[in-house]
C-alpha cells in the first residue's frame, strides 16, 4: 500500500516538474526580458549619476516653475473674485484691503 502511494506521489511530482528544455526556454526568456528592461530609457538615465542629477535638476526646475505660475494664477483669480464680493461684510473689507495693497504695489 505504501509503495503505491509513493509511486503516485513520484508520478505527480514528475508531471509538475518542467523538462530541461522548458527550463532553458524560461531562462532565455527571462534573460531577454532583463535585457529589454536594462535598455529602457528610465534605466539608462538613472544608470549614470551625472545624468540622473541633471534629470532631477531639470525636473525640479519644471516643478518649481509650474508651482509658481499655478499659484500666481490661483491667487490672482481668488483676489479678483474676493474683490467683487462686497456684499459680505468681513470678506468685502478684507478683499478691499488686498486690492488696495495690490494697486499700491503697482
Amino acid at each position: 500500500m505504501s509503495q503505491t502511494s509513493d509511486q503516485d506521489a513520484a508520478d505527480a511530482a514528475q508531471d509538475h516538474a518542467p523538462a530541461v528544455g522548458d527550463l532553458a526556454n524560461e531562462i532565455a526568456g527571462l534573460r531577454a526580458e532583463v535585457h529589454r528592461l536594462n535598455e529602457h530609457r528610465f534605466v539608462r538615465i538613472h544608470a549614470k549619476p551625472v545624468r540622473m542629477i541633471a534629470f532631477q535638476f531639470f525636473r525640479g526646475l519644471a516643478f518649481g516653475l509650474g508651482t509658481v505660475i499655478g499659484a500666481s494664477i490661483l491667487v490672482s483669480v481668488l483676489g479678483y473674485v474676493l474683490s467683487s464680493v462686497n456684499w459680505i461684510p468681513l470678506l468685502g473689507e478684507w478683499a478691499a484691503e488686498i486690492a488696495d495693497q495690490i494697486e499700491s504695489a503697482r
Side-chain angles (χ1 to χ4, degrees), residues 3-98:
Q3 217 174 19
T4 306
S5 58
D6 288 342
Q7 184 64 29
D8 289 341
D11 288 341
Q14 194 173 24
D15 289 340
H16 292 302
V20 175
D22 290 342
L23 284 176
N25 289 338
E26 291 282 331
I27 291 172
L30 286 173
R31 289 180 65 151
E33 188 67 24
V34 168
H35 178 71
R36 187 180 71 82
L37 288 173
N38 283 336
E39 292 299 317
H40 195 272
R41 185 177 74 85
F42 181 80
V43 174
R44 282 187 288 139
I45 287 173
H46 289 82
K48 297 180 181 176
V50 174
R51 272 189 171 174
M52 183 180 64
I53 290 170
F55 178 77
Q56 294 296 334
F57 175 74
F58 288 118
R59 182 176 169 249
L61 283 177
F63 180 78
L65 181 64
T67 301
V68 168
I69 291 172
S72 299
I73 291 171
L74 182 67
V75 167
S76 64
V77 168
L78 186 65
Y80 176 76
V81 169
L82 286 177
S83 68
S84 66
V85 180
N86 291 329
W87 51 273
I88 300 175
L90 186 59
L91 286 180
E93 293 172 12
W94 182 65
E97 288 179 27
I98 291 175

